């Protein structure tokens, strides 16, 4: 099974002996091309056109992040599964406002229900005061049915997420990781730094899965298709961020795997040190490979496979085979 490769060191990536090769100070390492699904680059890495051509032939995506863990961009090889029919269907559902609203509302529904499931999970473990946040989110979501504007829908989704974030201090209960309020670009404290880094990872994970379907990542529905390169991955990531990223953050903090010294502050905000990024990614990969039983599927599937299945469901909706219903976790 192919797996992602993560590079934190500075160095050079090249094609050598018909495979991938990374060279850094004192380090020389072959990366088997047949075992690599995508490459995440966090260091300063040099590469050339010959290397990119080889990635295209091998159908490997390259994701770039800066030193703050912000997603910079991707080398997205020529889509080998690209379908003109599917692109037309995606465009049709984007240009028709009612069709676009149907999908956009489904993404908001999935995000809301999974955020609610996260809170109910911790409520069942003794945090009774979460009930008021759940009730407030329910009230906010009730108004979604009559919405006829994407901008208004986005505002409601933002309000629901803000209520959800307001509960984080109750769940985390750690003075070293106070949430206070959501800040980004730059994040102003440790918990916001973790959320921003985790969300960036989630966006690229979904993007990599889209590459292996007939969907075009440039056409999203909740997030407007404009001069931004990709939007569909942002839509789908909203569903999975609460149950993958947020649950992971709560877990690693409760296990004391992160300390204040894993963070560094400068004039642009706070960043996660490489040691902590490596630990976070290792835990994230374990979570993505965790298998669960999914209703109507039967077999045990991993969270990574679940993302791919969600994309197939969107394809079926676009082709008129089955109305899209977002995945909602059951704990």
């Amino acid at each position: 099974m192919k797996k992602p490769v993560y590079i934190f060191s500075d160095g050079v990536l090249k094609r050598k002996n018909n495979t991938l090769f990374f060279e850094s100070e004192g380090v020389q390492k072959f990366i088997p091309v047949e075992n690599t699904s995508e490459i995440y680059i966090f260091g300063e890495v040099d590469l050339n056109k010959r290397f990119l051509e080889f990635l295209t032939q091998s159908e490997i995506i390259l994701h770039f992040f800066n030193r703050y863990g912000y997603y910079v961009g991707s080398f997205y090889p020529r889509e080998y599964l690209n379908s003109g029919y599917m692109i037309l269907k995606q465009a049709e559902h984007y240009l028709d406002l009612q069709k676009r609203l149907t999908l956009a509302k489904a993404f908001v529904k999935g995000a809301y229900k999974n955020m609610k499931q996260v809170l109910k999970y911790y409520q069942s473990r003794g945090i009774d005061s979460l009930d008021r946040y759940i009730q407030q989110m329910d009230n906010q979501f009730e108004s979604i049915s009559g919405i006829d504007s994407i901008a208004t829908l986005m505002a409601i989704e933002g309000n629901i997420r803000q209520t959800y974030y307001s509960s984080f201090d109750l769940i985390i209960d750690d003075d070293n990781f106070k949430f206070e309020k959501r800040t980004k670009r730059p994040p102003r404290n440790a918990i916001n730094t973790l959320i921003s880094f985790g969300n960036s990872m989630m966006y690229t994970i979904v993007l990599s899965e889209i590459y292996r379907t007939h969907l075009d990542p440039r056409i999203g529905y909740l997030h407007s298709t404009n001069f931004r390169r990709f939007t569909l991955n942002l839509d789908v990531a909203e569903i999975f961020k609460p149950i993958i990223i947020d649950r992971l953050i709560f877990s690693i903090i409760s296990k004391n795997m992160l300390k204040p010294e894993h963070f560094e502050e400068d004039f642009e905000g706070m960043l996660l040190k490489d040691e902590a990024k490596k630990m976070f990614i290792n835990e994230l990969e374990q979570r993505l490979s965790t298998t669960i039983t999914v209703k109507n599927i039967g077999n045990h599937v991993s969270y990574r496979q679940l993302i791919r299945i969600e994309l197939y469901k969107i394809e079926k909706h676009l082709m008129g085979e089955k109305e899209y219903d977002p995945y909602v976790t059951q704990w």
Side-chain angles (χ1 to χ4, degrees):
M1 182 179 175
K2 292 187 175 185
K3 295 182 179 180
V5 171
Y6 299 90
I7 297 176
F8 291 89
S9 306
D10 299 343
V12 179
L13 266 173
K14 61 178 74 172
R15 175 180 182 175
K16 186 174 182 179
N17 298 337
N18 215 33
T19 192
L20 307 174
F21 184 75
F22 180 68
E23 187 173 17
S24 185
E25 188 175 340
V27 176
Q28 292 185 331
K29 183 179 180 181
F30 282 100
I31 303 171
V33 66
E34 66 275 6
N35 297 334
T36 303
S37 56
E38 61 257 32
I39 301 174
Y40 293 79
I41 296 180
F42 295 90
E44 295 294 329
V45 174
D46 295 329
L47 43 86
N48 59 25
K49 183 170 72 73
R50 184 168 178 263
F51 173 78
L52 294 178
E53 288 172 348
F54 188 51
L55 288 190
T56 298
Q57 294 169 16
S58 307
E59 300 162 359
I60 296 173
I61 301 178
L62 201 57
H63 300 299
F64 297 91
F65 296 78
N66 67 15
R67 68 186 295 262
Y68 291 93
Y70 298 154
Y71 171 67
V72 174
S74 298
F75 173 70
Y76 198 78
R78 180 182 62 249
E79 294 95 332
Y80 68 105
L81 291 176
N82 209 353
S83 161
Y85 173 76
M86 187 59 69
I87 291 174
L88 288 173
K89 283 296 180 183
Q90 283 186 253
E92 174 191 325
H93 282 73
Y94 183 84
L95 295 172
D96 185 309
L97 179 59
Q98 291 308 312
K99 289 182 178 180
R100 182 183 173 189
L101 278 167
T102 296
L103 276 168
K105 287 180 180 181
F107 293 131
V108 173
K109 174 185 172 183
Y112 149 72
K113 284 187 173 292
N114 281 323
M115 286 186 277
K116 181 176 176 178
Q117 287 296 90
V118 169
L119 297 193
K120 289 176 71 175
Y121 173 84
Y122 287 98
Q123 185 184 43
S124 69
R125 277 152 180 76
I127 310 178
D128 296 330
S129 48
L130 290 174
D131 187 61
R132 65 187 178 97
Y133 296 97
I134 294 171
Q135 185 60 53
Q136 188 175 344
M137 288 166 60
D138 287 342
N139 294 338
Q140 290 166 327
F141 182 74
E142 280 180 4
S143 61
I144 199 175
S145 58
I147 295 301
D148 58 2
S149 156
I150 295 293
T152 306
L153 182 63
M154 286 283 285
I156 291 174
E157 190 274 338
N159 291 336
I160 293 171
R161 196 167 294 273
Q162 190 58 49
T163 301
Y164 169 69
Y165 281 143
S166 298
S167 71
F168 275 27
D169 282 338
L170 288 172
I171 296 171
I172 296 169
D173 193 25
D174 187 327
D175 289 339
N176 290 319
F177 294 96
K178 286 289 185 183
F179 177 78
E180 296 173 346
K181 66 177 182 177
R182 182 72 176 111
T183 57
K184 49 188 174 181
R185 291 192 177 277
R188 295 298 181 185
N189 59 26
I191 190 67
N192 275 285
T193 301
L194 287 171
I195 293 170
S196 292
F197 181 67
N199 288 351
S200 288
M201 291 301 303
M202 195 73 247
Y203 297 142
T204 54
I205 289 163
V206 175
L207 179 60
S208 293
E209 293 304 316
I210 291 174
Y211 181 67
R212 294 169 179 89
T213 71
H214 294 98
L215 294 166
D216 191 312
R218 294 170 294 185
I219 304 175
Y221 300 95
L222 179 61
H223 295 83
S224 295
T225 296
N226 47 31
F227 295 108
R228 184 191 286 131
R229 182 70 175 89
F230 305 119
T231 51
L232 184 59
N233 59 320
L234 306 183
D235 287 355
V236 178
E238 299 296 346
I239 297 168
F240 292 98
K241 287 190 300 186
I243 57 177
I244 295 177
I245 299 302
D246 298 341
R247 281 291 311 276
L248 175 61
I249 290 171
F250 298 149
S251 175
I252 59 179
I253 291 175
S254 69
K255 293 176 182 177
N256 294 315
M257 298 173 73
L258 279 174
K259 306 291 183 184
E261 51 266 30
H262 285 120
F263 299 83
E264 181 181 337
E265 195 166 6
D266 68 8
F267 65 94
E268 289 195 37
M270 188 168 282
L271 60 90
L272 200 58
K273 292 181 179 178
D274 281 352
E275 178 190 352
K277 288 176 187 172
K278 291 175 185 177
M279 182 276 294
F280 188 100
I281 287 171
N282 181 61
E283 293 296 312
L284 176 58
E285 281 297 329
Q286 288 186 40
R287 185 166 291 266
L288 288 169
S289 62
T290 300
T291 58
I292 56 174
T293 302
V294 180
K295 186 180 179 181
N296 298 327
I297 296 178
N299 296 332
H300 286 274
V301 297
S302 69
Y303 278 107
R304 192 182 290 276
Q305 291 171 323
L306 195 59
I307 295 169
R308 182 89 60 90
I309 291 169
E310 200 71 6
L311 298 171
Y312 292 151
K313 286 162 57 180
I314 294 169
E315 286 186 345
K316 287 186 176 182
H317 176 94
L318 294 170
M319 292 186 292
E321 293 181 9
K322 186 177 181 180
E323 186 172 354
Y324 173 62
D325 190 31
Y327 172 75
V328 178
T329 191
Q330 299 297 326
W331 285 312

